[in-house]
Each structure stands twice: as structure tokens, then as C-alpha cells.
Amino acid sequence: MILNKVKIDKIIFKGFGLGTYEGKKVFIPFTYPGDIVDAEVLSEKKDYYKALPKTFHKYGVDRIEIDCPVFKQCGGCNSLDIDYQKQCDFKKEVIEDIFPSYKSKITNTIPSPNQYFYRNKVFFPVTDKDGMITYGMFKNLSHSVVSASSCRLVDSFLLDIAQEVCNHLNNVKETAYNERSKKGNIRHIGLRVNSENEVMVIIVTNKSKLAFTNTLVKTLRDRFPQVVAIIQNINKSDSNRILGNHDKMLYGEPYFIDNISKKKYKIHYQSFFQVNRKLTEIIYKQIKDDISNSSIVMDAYSGVSTIGLYIADKAKSVISVESNEWACQDAKYNIELNGASNIQVLNSKLEDKFKQIINDFKVDTIVFDPPRKGLDSKIRRLIKESTISKIIYLSCNPTTQKRDVDDFIIDGFNIEKIIPFDMFPNTYHVENYIVLQR
């Protein structure tokens, strides 16, 4: 079914242009306000369509020439075809749409220092193409893999490493895992790179066995001396999780040292670490600016204590709370590595020790950088009942952030500022930063 001459009125979260057709909303990717487009329906619900653009009658936003052969097929980027400043402008509009009552508090989007090649971590799904394993990215709105011989988000030398891994796998007759048949072995090829251009290579398999690993190690080390670790991660589950719980070290250690500004961090290959290092430094400087010298800060869901360590030399003291035991061990290592003396690490679920931490340490400020699902209702209730006066809330999902912030406002907090940060240029993702005070 074709929807004729749909006018796009605005852009919304997740990168869709929003228009109407015969009274129903239409969500169309790769469109922008002012576009007039014929669109092919992918799915229809009672009050909306999802569709793909087919023919443009008018462009509301100028398009620019791009050099990516799989743009609009690959799901990695969705806005490569417009000027970068325009991307940032649209991300501000998305935040204004989610927080309409606080437009005056919302700043312009802070751009990334690098529009391209900014990712320090990537996991490429693999597929069987003409009998050969090839890596790529998932096709837009699907789990089919689009081969990627080039990528505007990842440095080319990382792609060279991924290709060399594929060459080895093909030489030894390994097979790509098929999600439908549940057959095959190789699921993903992961790459993490630190500020010194040292690389960890992670090969995710469905089976415990991986063929000729000694040959693989020698090949990668001979061609790419910057490779400091090669890990086989074993994931036998049927879920969408990339990494499993078991691994084999083929070479090196399962971690390396990375840094943000002058702070150093031991990063395990499974650890969370922001993918855009330079923009992360800008965000962390903002957090430091928004705490006082007398602040006693809780770094909630702290991971390896990246935020806590960064702000520790300004805050009076910091308590990092993390439920993952190995992340806490790394955090303690990082504290020693940086010579910090005013930060403690607590291995606990936040809700289990929240009241005790608040009472024992007299916490007045809490910093959140939670998963996409946002904060549990129990945590929101505990904050309501606490003496915390300031919340700094960083989120990659502003819709769940809005739900949480609404509760905080009901509980007497006021929004001081909202700052969108472009952590993920050329995509619809936005990292939204909010400071609340009561």
C-alpha cells in the first residue's frame, strides 16, 4: 500500500519523521520536517502506519552527498544525508518534544568533537554470504546482516582487523550462526580500542570450540601489533544478548587501560564504557561543574566508577554503588590507579542499601547514568523519602528519563537545566543531561 504525498511535520525520538495520512499518524524513517513523500506501508495499526519513503516530491531539508554505499540499508546510521549542525538542531527539537513544559531550560545540543569514526567499541554481527562468512551491521528494522566493507562510525584499521578475522574463519571452514535454524558457530566479531589505539578482539561463538585459534592469534599479532587481547566469548543462548557468560582467553588479558582526560580506567571487555570518548569527557566536565566542593556524591550504577573517579577531585567525597562484583573489583583497582583517596566502592543493589548509604554518608547529590529502561519505581520512591537535594541524571533514553523526572518534580524537585549531548552522531540517539534541585 502506498501513501501519497505525506507531509512530514516534525522529527521524533528514534529518528522517524512524523506526518499524517487521512487522519492517521505516519512514521517514516529518513525523512525530515517539510519533506513531502510517497511512502510504502510496512505495518498498519488502528491509529498509525509505519512506512518507508519511496518517492520524494519535495525536500524540506537539504540533503548532502554521502560516501556510504549501504546508507538506508544498514541500521547503523539514519541521518548521514543531512548537515551535522542540522542533526544537532533536530536532536534539540526531539528533547523539546519530550519535555515541552521545559523548553526554556533546554540548551542547544552539544556536538561531538568528531562527527565520524568516533566509536571505540563495535560488535559486528556476521552472516553467510555466498558460502563465506562476512561481517556487517543489521539491516534497518530487521536482523538481516548488511555487509560493511566501510563504515563512517568506525576507524578503518578496525575494519581491517574484522576482515582478517573473517579471512581466518573462512580458511578454516567455520560457519556463521543462523538465528532461525540455530545452526552455525560464529555470532559476532567485537572490537574495543583505547586511547593508545590498543585493540581487544572478541569473537562470539555459539559453540565452545573455535578452529585453529593458535593460527588466528599468530595471524592477527603479525599483521596488527596493536592487538593486545583476543577473546573467544561463548554465547549458547537464543536471546538477543550479544555476549555470553563464558569465555576463553586466546591471547593477552580480558581488559586494557583506557582514559578520559587524565583519569585512567581498567576496562574489562564486557564493561560498559561510553563509545564516544571525547564527547564523554565534555559530559563529565559538565557533571563536575554541577557539583560543589562540599558535595557528598553517590555515583549510582557506577560500573567501574568512571564518573565517580572523574569528579572525585572536586567533590568532598564519592560513594560508588554497583551490583556487579567484578565491576566493583575493577573500580577499586581504578581508585588505586588514580591515587584517589575520597571515594569508596560498595558492591550492592542500589535499592538494598540506599537508606543506609544516605544516612551513613550524608549524601546530598546523586548521579544517575542508568540503562535504557531508566530507574525502578522503588528507587524513585526512596529518593522522594531521602534528604538528597540534587539529582544529576544522564540518559540515553529520554522517554524513560521523562517518566522518572516527572516523578521527581511531583516530589518537590525543579529542573535547573537540560542539555542534549550528541554522543552518537549520524544516528537518532541522543544523550540527555538533566540537573534537578530541591
Side-chain angles (χ1 to χ4, degrees), residues 260-432:
I260 299 174
S261 188
K262 295 180 180 179
K263 301 295 182 181
K264 296 180 180 180
Y265 302 94
K266 177 183 177 182
I267 306 297
H268 191 273
Y269 83 93
Q270 292 209 33
S271 291
F272 172 77
F273 196 70
Q274 295 284 11
V275 300
N276 186 335
R277 188 183 299 101
K278 290 184 178 180
L279 197 276
T280 298
E281 181 176 346
I282 295 171
I283 295 174
Y284 287 5
K285 284 180 178 177
Q286 183 67 54
I287 296 174
K288 185 181 282 191
D289 286 345
D290 286 325
I291 64 171
S292 70
N293 294 323
S294 60
S295 294
I296 301 173
V297 183
M298 182 193 296
D299 178 14
Y301 310 109
S302 60
V304 298
S305 200
T306 49
I307 294 175
L309 270 168
Y310 194 93
I311 64 176
D313 53 6
K314 181 178 180 182
K316 182 177 181 180
S317 62
V318 177
I319 301 92
S320 290
V321 185
E322 171 57 49
S323 61
N324 187 287
E325 185 175 357
W326 60 259
C328 287
Q329 292 302 318
D330 285 350
K332 291 175 182 177
Y333 180 94
N334 292 335
I335 289 170
E336 292 185 13
L337 186 66
N338 289 275
S341 59
N342 63 334
I343 178 168
Q344 298 185 49
V345 177
L346 297 179
N347 180 202
S348 172
K349 289 185 177 180
L350 183 61
E351 57 269 30
D352 291 348
K353 295 284 183 71
F354 188 90
K355 288 184 179 179
Q356 180 184 338
I357 294 167
I358 297 299
N359 292 333
D360 289 354
F361 294 97
K362 310 302 180 187
V363 173
D364 56 74
T365 301
I366 189 165
V367 179
F368 285 118
D369 184 8
R372 290 185 178 278
K373 65 181 181 180
L375 303 175
D376 186 87
S377 59
K378 185 176 181 180
I379 295 298
R380 303 198 298 270
R381 185 172 65 254
L382 286 168
I383 289 175
K384 174 184 178 180
E385 297 167 354
S386 76
T387 56
I388 287 173
S389 58
K390 179 175 282 190
I391 300 170
I392 297 175
Y393 192 158
L394 184 66
S395 175
C396 60
N397 187 342
T399 56
T400 54
Q401 185 188 41
K402 172 65 162 53
R403 174 204 65 204
D404 299 342
V405 166
D406 282 348
D407 273 4
F408 294 144
I409 290 170
I410 291 171
D411 296 339
F413 285 89
N414 295 303
I415 291 178
E416 287 194 338
K417 66 182 73 171
I418 302 177
I419 308 174
F421 287 91
D422 192 19
M423 181 73 77
F424 313 95
N426 315 308
T427 78
Y428 68 78
H429 298 284
V430 59
E431 198 83 6
N432 198 44

Side-chain angles (χ1 to χ4, degrees), residues 117-119 122 124 151-156 158-159 191:
F117 314 121
Y118 58 84
R119 291 193 67 97
V122 63
F124 291 116
C151 179
R152 301 295 288 169
L153 306 186
V154 182
D155 268 323
S156 60
L158 294 177
L159 304 184
L191 302 156

Side-chain angles (χ1 to χ4, degrees), residues 170-216:
N170 287 317
N171 288 338
V172 300
K173 308 301 182 185
E174 279 286 7
T175 55
Y177 178 72
N178 185 296
E179 287 186 351
R180 293 180 181 177
S181 69
K182 313 301 180 187
K183 294 180 180 180
N185 191 26
I186 311 302
R187 301 177 71 132
H188 285 82
I189 298 171
L191 302 156
R192 298 193 71 152
V193 58
N194 66 11
S195 57
E196 301 297 321
N197 278 337
E198 295 175 329
V199 179
M200 289 193 285
V201 179
I202 305 102
I203 302 168
V204 185
T205 63
N206 183 51
K207 303 173 184 177
S208 298
K209 185 173 176 56
L210 181 62
F212 295 95
T213 55
N214 289 339
T215 303
L216 172 64

Side-chain angles (χ1 to χ4, degrees), residues 208-227:
S208 298
K209 185 173 176 56
L210 181 62
F212 295 95
T213 55
N214 289 339
T215 303
L216 172 64
V217 169
K218 185 177 187 310
T219 300
L220 288 181
R221 285 291 297 152
D222 286 349
R223 279 209 60 195
F224 305 100
Q226 62 267 59
V227 171

Side-chain angles (χ1 to χ4, degrees), residues 158-176:
L158 294 177
L159 304 184
D160 292 340
I161 295 172
Q163 185 57 56
E164 191 61 49
V165 173
C166 286
N167 293 344
H168 167 82
L169 296 172
N170 287 317
N171 288 338
V172 300
K173 308 301 182 185
E174 279 286 7
T175 55

